[in-house]
Amino acid sequence: MKISIRRDSTGRRRTPAVVALGAVLALTVTACGDDGSGASGGNGAEGSGTGKIVFWDNNGGVRTDIWNEIIAGFEKANPDIDVEYVGIASTEYQSKVDTAIQGGGLPDVGGVGAAMIAGFAAQGALDPLDERLAKSSLNGKLNEDMVTSLRAAGGAEDTLYSIPTSANNGVLYYRTDLFEKAGLREPTTWDAFYEAAEKLTAAGRNEFGYTIRGGAGSIAQALDAMYGQSGITSFWDASGAKTTVNDPANVAALEKYAALYKKVTPAADLNNDFTKMVAQWDSGTIGMLNHNLGSYQDHVKALGVEKFRGIPQPTGPGGKRVQVSNPVDGLGLFKASRNKEAAWKFIEFATSHAENSKFNRTAGQVPAHADAAKDAWISEAEPTKLAAQALSDGSTTIVQLPYYLPDWNTISKADNEPNFQKVLLGGLSPQNFLNTLADQLNEAQAEWSNQKG
């Protein structure tokens, strides 16, 4: 496998993350996967279809309860298979898998969303699933758009490395009680959003109009706000070689968005990942929150359905709604597994109609199984219903992020989340931040194009 040596924003050589993290995490991941999983690398084996398999959840803690419920059902239906569940926080998941790829200790099955596929596949860690799917009861039952998205994310449209479980869409949650008290209109446009953010802020009373994501996962949210305001509908220019992230309209949008920090947001937002941001919104008096469908049930538990709504992202120029793509989530089979037959049985069970519906009802996301997507609960969960409508009624244009780039997660997380914090603190201009991001993306795109060609 070729590992390219890329440079950071200062021009210094940057050690690939999978190598740098190895010494720190090797003992942890090896302990998790040695017993019954593909600890030694290689191509693994089909196995007997019985015995033990190891499953790594890529959103541990948040989804632990529902996965334990699904696993219990699977083990009851398959008493000769034992599933070891390992919950890993979403912010740590990719680094743990990368380290296990290099040093051993991979599980049999793991969460493999669109944003991760290219990096894992480039290292030869995933088993192609096309033949298994073709012979499965799932064949013809999965949302074709989600399947297509996962194929494209792998960088090879003829190879499927992950079976989709759900689609997550960006949502603007707002406190209906606070809006009504302030006499504000629903924030369906970016103008209304900024008006509400300012009017709902009374910092002396610890009341804020918005909570901005400054910690892990901040780049995707910032891109959503940028493209939503600028109305630019493609991540690449007409040549396909240069990104539009530093287009002047996107720069202006980021300048306006980043200026919200500490003016209408809590100072603690600088380090907030999604769990801290969601908890802060649920327990406080903050007017608006940008997140996705996945936190809907948290808001219901904290606020009840009477005090908030979750609506599609605001519209921008000319009443047009533009959003960046949220990665489709799925389950992958690791090539090193020594019990692939049993692991595939688990994937089939977890993505079946009943289990996929159960999972997504808890998560508040759009099911991948076509029959599950028709279940009654979809119309009961308003944000999910509105998101599905917005994606199907022609009102929304999705800017597809380049998940197929093996370097995408590194660029959008490790390389630039610290730089985005500098933007919020005023130590780095939005223009310079986006120029650096664009240079890295253009380099990654050129390298990918050359390898593909």
Side-chain angles (χ1 to χ4, degrees), residues 4 7 92 109 112 158 165 175 179 205 207 222 267 297 308 354 372 387 404 406:
S4 59
R7 299 179 184 273
E92 301 174 7
V109 181
V112 180
D158 58 345
T165 56
R175 289 282 299 271
F179 270 68
R205 298 196 298 269
E207 298 173 358
Q297 292 296 339
F308 81 97
Y404 57 84

Side-chain angles (χ1 to χ4, degrees), residues 80-100:
D80 52 357
I81 302 176
D82 176 51
V83 180
E84 178 185 336
Y85 170 89
V86 180
I88 301 172
S90 60
T91 53
E92 301 174 7
Y93 186 78
Q94 181 176 345
S95 65
K96 286 186 178 291
V97 174
D98 281 336
T99 303

Side-chain angles (χ1 to χ4, degrees), residues 384-408:
T384 305
K385 178 182 178 181
L386 294 177
Q389 288 176 349
L391 292 175
S392 62
D393 65 8
S395 65
T396 304
T397 300
I398 301 295
V399 176
Q400 296 294 337
L401 297 181
Y403 301 123
Y404 57 84
L405 293 177
D407 282 334
W408 167 252

Side-chain angles (χ1 to χ4, degrees), residues 32 59 70 84 134 155 163 167 171-172 249 297 304-305 312 362 366 440-441:
C32 290
N59 202 358
I70 291 171
E84 178 185 336
I163 299 299
V171 176
L172 179 61
Q297 292 296 339
V305 295
T362 300
V366 180
Q440 293 170 341
L441 288 165

Side-chain angles (χ1 to χ4, degrees), residues 174-183 200 281 284-287 303 306-309:
Y174 75 98
R175 289 282 299 271
T176 51
D177 55 340
L178 301 181
F179 270 68
E180 183 177 354
K181 182 179 179 181
L200 290 172
W281 193 73
T285 52
I286 299 174
L303 302 169
E306 304 84 10
K307 291 185 178 180
F308 81 97
R309 285 192 77 198

Side-chain angles (χ1 to χ4, degrees), residues 130-450:
D130 302 272
E131 291 186 13
R132 296 181 193 274
L133 179 59
K135 300 174 184 176
S136 167
S137 60
L138 294 173
N139 193 29
K141 288 293 186 178
L142 299 175
N143 182 292
E144 282 301 319
D145 289 336
M146 295 189 200
V147 172
T148 299
S149 178
L150 290 180
R151 287 189 194 279
E157 295 182 5
D158 58 345
T159 305
L160 182 66
Y161 290 108
S162 181
I163 299 299
T165 56
S166 54
N168 218 347
N169 209 44
V171 176
L172 179 61
Y173 294 103
Y174 75 98
R175 289 282 299 271
T176 51
D177 55 340
L178 301 181
F179 270 68
E180 183 177 354
K181 182 179 179 181
L184 287 165
R185 53 182 171 155
E186 189 173 57
T188 56
T189 68
W190 282 101
D191 288 343
F193 165 84
Y194 282 107
E195 175 191 3
E198 187 169 346
K199 193 166 183 178
L200 290 172
T201 298
R205 298 196 298 269
N206 204 35
E207 298 173 358
F208 298 95
Y210 184 58
T211 173
I212 198 169
R213 189 168 179 171
S218 60
I219 304 301
Q221 182 171 303
L223 290 173
D224 217 10
M226 286 163 43
Y227 282 90
Q229 294 174 80
S230 71
I232 295 171
T233 58
S234 176
F235 195 78
W236 303 102
D237 66 10
S239 72
K242 302 293 183 184
T243 180
T244 58
V245 293
N246 60 340
D247 182 281
N250 275 334
V251 174
L254 184 60
E255 288 173 347
K256 189 172 184 179
Y257 181 72
L260 294 173
Y261 176 63
K262 288 182 71 172
K263 180 182 177 184
V264 299
T265 79
D269 283 359
L270 183 70
N271 296 305
N272 277 0
D273 59 11
F274 86 90
T275 54
K276 293 176 184 175
M277 183 177 66
V278 166
Q280 177 179 258
W281 193 73
D282 285 344
S283 63
T285 52
I286 299 174
M288 295 176 291
L289 160 75
N290 268 125
H291 193 230
N292 55 48
L293 294 168
S295 60
Y296 172 67
Q297 292 296 339
D298 295 311
H299 309 321
V300 172
K301 290 175 185 176
L303 302 169
V305 295
E306 304 84 10
K307 291 185 178 180
F308 81 97
R309 285 192 77 198
I311 61 175
Q313 297 284 43
T315 57
K320 181 170 58 176
R321 180 182 298 108
V322 177
Q323 293 184 231
V324 300
S325 56
N326 273 268
V328 174
D329 206 3
L331 295 174
L333 174 60
F334 286 97
K335 187 174 290 186
S337 170
R338 296 193 295 265
N339 204 352
K340 293 180 184 180
E341 184 179 340
W344 174 250
K345 287 180 183 178
F346 176 70
I347 292 176
E348 278 188 305
F349 181 88
T351 53
S352 65
H353 175 185
E355 304 308 311
N356 191 239
S357 184
K358 184 189 303 180
F359 175 84
N360 283 288
R361 184 171 190 174
T362 300
Q365 298 173 174
V366 180
H369 197 288
D371 293 336
K374 299 173 185 175
D375 287 348
W377 68 265
I378 295 286
S379 61
E380 297 168 3
E382 186 188 37
T384 305
K385 178 182 178 181
L386 294 177
Q389 288 176 349
L391 292 175
S392 62
D393 65 8
S395 65
T396 304
T397 300
I398 301 295
V399 176
Q400 296 294 337
L401 297 181
Y403 301 123
Y404 57 84
L405 293 177
D407 282 334
W408 167 252
N409 263 12
T410 301
I411 292 171
S412 63
K413 294 181 182 295
D415 283 3
N416 284 292
E417 285 175 354
N419 282 343
F420 183 67
Q421 290 180 320
K422 293 178 183 178
V423 172
L424 296 180
L425 292 170
L428 180 67
S429 73
Q431 179 76 71
N432 287 338
F433 167 74
L434 291 176
N435 283 344
T436 298
L437 177 60
D439 288 344
Q440 293 170 341
L441 288 165
N442 294 340
E443 179 185 346
Q445 177 77 346
E447 182 176 331
W448 177 80
S449 296
N450 289 336

